[in-house]
Amino acid sequence: MPKTISGHSLRPAPGGGRCRRQWLRGLPLLAAAAGALLAPAAAHADSSDTAAAASVPSRLAFTSADITVPESLQEGGVSAVAVSGSVVLAVKDGNVVKVRGWGSVDVPQDLQSGGGVTALALGGPGLAVKDGNVRQFGPAPEDWCPKEYRADMPAVLASGGGTTAVESNSSLQAAFAVKDGRLYQWGCSIDLMAVPAELSTGGVTEVKTMGASALAVKDGNVHAWGHAPRVPAELSQGGGVTSIALSNNGRTGLAVKDGSVHSWGEYIGLPPGLRDDGHVTSVSADSNGLTVAAVKDDGTLISSQDPGAEFHNRGITSATAVTGGAFVIQKTQTDMTLKSKDGYLITRPATERDYLGFGQSDAPQDAKTFSVVLLKNNEVALKSKLNGKYVMVDQTTNGPAGPNYHLRAAADSIGPWEKFTLHKTGGGSVLLKSVSTGRYVQNSSGTLNGHGTESQAAAFDLAATP
């Protein structure tokens, strides 16, 4: 997913005019080479976003309380987000929609309807990939950019499909796109950066820019140009890089290789464990180095802006760091096991009413697997993989003692009695609290009910299932 940044002032670097002329001379050659290709492949989004969209819907969330995401974007269908200053746009069901700051960006109507949008970028020129082709929006370059500093978008990007990524640079007012593995650059600047020739021949999967710096991944190796810091040898050869980012206005580089985060250039503080984690899939950082966000292969988020105990740190497929937090795209449903000191939470179909109970490690996997459906306001619903039913708090009467509130996997849909909130304990486990009863889930002689106090509540460790 493309990451964009807010604007920064930039003084022309020595040799900037020469750099611009080199880039302008190389542009027609790059376009001509791409024009000679065979028919392009079908358009597709970033692989992580495509995989998430193909399995379960994904929603947009923010890891801090100071930005409210519209409810329509919390309910699924989100595949991309782009941020620039106060402007935040997202892609939902293939259409560009507003998160905030809409009035300052003029998005064409056909990008807001009809579907087909798979990637989005803001910062300099507004960019979208629709049906595999690049669409540029916002003020027309000819309206504000002197002709001698302007290079138009290569025509090859406007038709034929095959574009997989776009990136927009606010400092240089430059745009980038990856089509059929080849990197293209265009825009308006007195200091456009000469793209390394080897990036025009294929194999490029990602590009990131910030300030006067740029990084790209080609065949699993990091390439840098402009004012980007020199890439360490272990990242520029040998392959294995899956994600890149820039920070400190382009003076710090970040990359994920073999599941661990590497940083170089100016110092940046990383959350503990990222350098040797082994399970990180992507990394993002804001422009001033205050926020670093990394997504792990179990769908959790590690961020230097710790979001605390919220359950949105599950099922995450991508994160875009901004100062003070991160926009995350997460699955609205993820399969989990819930284990307490009493054993794994299981669905017991042999019982007359499908009461939930506990089982040990030899319990059937389906019996101890629940799809955790992420709702709004930190609420969740649990769906049994064994019988496909939602877990409900069932109010029954049991003599003079009054009602019992047994937990059963018996509901066909989600209503108030199927909703729970999660509360993190000091040890990292979670407690389940029934929305309807306002009481906690507890172990009552081997079965569960939803009528306990906090001190009686069963504490669960959550683990994503393969």
Side-chain angles (χ1 to χ4, degrees):
M1 181 180 64
K3 179 177 72 66
T4 54
I5 56 176
S6 59
H8 299 277
S9 61
L10 178 69
R11 291 186 303 170
R18 179 174 57 84
C19 179
R20 181 187 75 251
R21 290 190 294 272
Q22 289 175 340
W23 175 79
L24 290 172
R25 286 199 299 269
L27 180 63
L29 296 178
L30 183 58
L37 297 176
L38 297 176
H44 58 282
D46 176 82
S47 58
S48 61
D49 290 337
T50 302
S55 54
V56 295
S58 294
R59 69 171 184 172
L60 184 67
F62 188 68
T63 60
S64 180
D66 61 344
I67 294 179
T68 301
V69 174
E71 286 194 7
S72 63
L73 299 179
Q74 300 179 36
E75 297 168 350
V78 178
S79 59
V81 62
V83 183
S84 177
S86 64
V87 179
V88 184
L89 303 181
V91 177
K92 175 182 169 68
D93 299 326
N95 300 312
V96 180
V97 297
K98 175 183 81 169
V99 179
R100 67 174 187 173
W102 181 264
S104 60
V105 177
D106 183 17
V107 179
Q109 187 60 43
D110 68 322
L111 295 179
Q112 302 177 46
S113 61
V117 177
T118 55
L120 192 63
L122 290 172
L127 302 171
V129 178
K130 181 180 174 75
D131 300 326
N133 302 313
V134 179
R135 292 286 308 277
Q136 183 168 312
F137 56 91
E142 55 269 24
D143 293 340
W144 55 273
C145 180
K147 185 175 181 180
E148 61 270 27
Y149 298 141
R150 186 175 73 238
D152 295 331
M153 184 180 81
V156 68
L157 298 175
S159 62
T163 300
T164 56
V166 285
E167 176 78 343
S168 187
N169 184 303
S170 60
S171 297
L172 300 176
Q173 288 299 312
F176 301 80
V178 177
K179 174 171 178 167
D180 299 326
R182 292 163 168 81
L183 180 64
Y184 297 79
Q185 179 186 220
W186 70 100
C188 175
S189 177
I190 62 172
D191 194 26
L192 285 170
M193 303 173 290
V195 177
E198 62 268 22
L199 299 181
S200 67
T201 60
V204 177
T205 55
E206 187 176 8
V207 57
K208 289 289 187 290
T209 70
M210 184 178 286
S213 301
L215 301 177
V217 178
K218 174 184 168 73
D219 299 327
N221 299 314
V222 181
H223 295 250
W225 66 100
H227 295 173
R230 184 176 180 181
V231 181
E234 65 266 24
L235 301 175
S236 63
Q237 57 193 17
V241 173
T242 59
S243 176
I244 51 174
L246 285 162
S247 188
N248 286 331
N249 200 25
R251 298 185 298 271
T252 301
L254 297 160
V256 177
K257 179 170 181 173
D258 299 327
S260 296
V261 177
H262 301 250
S263 66
W264 68 98
E266 287 191 6
Y267 172 80
I268 187 172
L270 296 180
L274 288 187
R275 294 187 186 276
D276 55 3
D277 184 273
H279 295 280
V280 177
T281 58
S282 65
V283 66
S284 178
D286 70 348
S287 59
N288 56 22
L290 295 178
T291 303
V292 177
V295 179
K296 298 179 63 173
D297 56 14
D298 64 356
T300 58
L301 178 77
I302 298 177
S303 174
S304 53
Q305 300 286 340
D306 184 11
E310 297 298 325
F311 189 72
H312 54 57
N313 281 3
R314 297 282 175 176
I316 292 173
T317 59
S318 65
T320 299
V322 297
T323 301
F327 287 94
V328 297
I329 293 177
Q330 66 177 156
K331 298 178 181 179
T332 57
Q333 176 179 306
T334 185
D335 285 349
M336 308 285 290
T337 57
L338 292 80
K339 186 179 180 181
S340 77
K341 63 181 179 60
D342 302 303
Y344 289 94
L345 183 69
I346 62 169
T347 303
R348 301 192 299 189
T351 59
E352 181 181 355
R353 298 177 64 84
D354 288 341
Y355 291 147
L356 267 62
F358 293 98
Q360 300 307 311
S361 58
D362 59 352
Q365 186 65 39
D366 283 359
K368 60 185 179 182
T369 299
F370 295 83
S371 294
V372 178
V373 182
L374 307 178
L375 307 172
K376 296 187 286 290
N377 303 319
N378 200 34
E379 295 175 350
V380 300
L382 305 177
K383 186 176 184 180
S384 169
K385 192 168 184 179
L386 187 67
N387 65 10
K389 302 288 187 179
Y390 292 100
V391 173
M392 62 183 292
V393 177
D394 186 16
Q395 180 178 350
T396 59
T397 301
N398 186 18
N404 287 322
Y405 293 91
H406 290 295
L407 263 65
R408 300 174 53 212
D412 293 319
S413 59
I414 300 173
W417 292 93
E418 288 74 41
K419 294 180 179 180
F420 302 87
T421 54
L422 292 105
H423 304 266
K424 194 172 183 180
T425 69
S429 300
V430 297
L431 310 179
L432 292 167
K433 187 177 184 180
S434 168
V435 170
S436 288
T437 67
R439 305 293 293 272
Y440 288 86
V441 171
Q442 66 172 333
N443 179 5
S444 177
S445 301
T447 60
L448 283 89
N449 69 44
H451 205 246
T453 64
E454 184 174 2
S455 62
Q456 296 170 328
F460 295 97
D461 294 324
L462 304 175
T465 60

